[in-house]
Amino acid sequence: MTMTAATVGPQRYQERYAARLESVTQARRDIALVLQTWGLPQLVEVAAQVVTELVANAVEHTDAATVGASITRVGKESARIVVTDTSRTRPTPGTPSQDDEHGRGLLLVDALAHAWGSELVRGGKRIWAELRVPAAC
């Protein structure tokens, strides 16, 4: 008789952080550690950039008391980052001039993620970004 383990769901990590700029660093570290643990070190740098931008935006542009961040492994070499807050205002990429020091966060997320978007949910919104290990050249 052969037995196999039943799938219980995807690998997932989630945490809530105080809506302070210091939490950006902690969220970035937590997500990087999770990816290392899952054996996806190729995604650490990109995930660090994406989670930094998304959590920083939630902290800076909402009046939320806390910000949620999660990462779910959605494939052998892919993961989905989700950041939640209590604002009902959906993010839109900026159109900064060359001299602007801010306003490029979502443009960076768009450039780094395979796909990204936002959804209104009960109690606020979620912004998600899907990351994939690049194909070997």
Side-chain angles (χ1 to χ4, degrees), residues 18-42:
R20 298 189 314 249
L21 286 178
E22 299 82 34
S23 296
V24 174
T25 302
Q26 189 61 51
R28 182 175 54 241
R29 287 181 187 151
D30 291 347
I31 298 297
L33 179 59
V34 169
L35 287 168
Q36 291 286 358
T37 302
W38 289 347
L40 292 171
Q42 315 91 313

Side-chain angles (χ1 to χ4, degrees), residues 16-18 23 32 39 55 67 74 78 89 93 117 127:
R16 293 213 63 79
Y17 302 93
S23 296
V55 172
V67 174
V74 294
S78 59
T89 304
I127 298 108

Side-chain angles (χ1 to χ4, degrees), residues 40-123:
L40 292 171
Q42 315 91 313
L43 291 180
V44 169
E45 190 174 322
V46 169
Q49 291 283 335
V50 168
V51 80
T52 294
E53 294 301 334
L54 296 181
V55 172
N57 281 351
V59 169
E60 293 176 9
H61 300 293
T62 74
D63 60 358
T66 62
V67 174
S70 69
I71 187 163
T72 304
R73 188 170 190 166
V74 294
K76 184 177 177 183
E77 295 185 322
S78 59
R80 180 180 176 117
I81 293 172
V82 175
V83 173
T84 59
D85 62 57
T86 57
S87 171
R88 302 282 297 167
T89 304
R90 294 174 78 159
T92 56
T95 52
S97 71
Q98 288 183 341
D99 297 333
D100 288 339
E101 294 183 19
H102 299 283
R104 291 178 178 80
L106 290 176
L107 297 173
L108 181 61
V109 170
D110 186 57
L112 294 173
H114 176 73
W116 76 277
S118 66
E119 319 169 311
L120 295 179
V121 295
R122 192 173 75 176

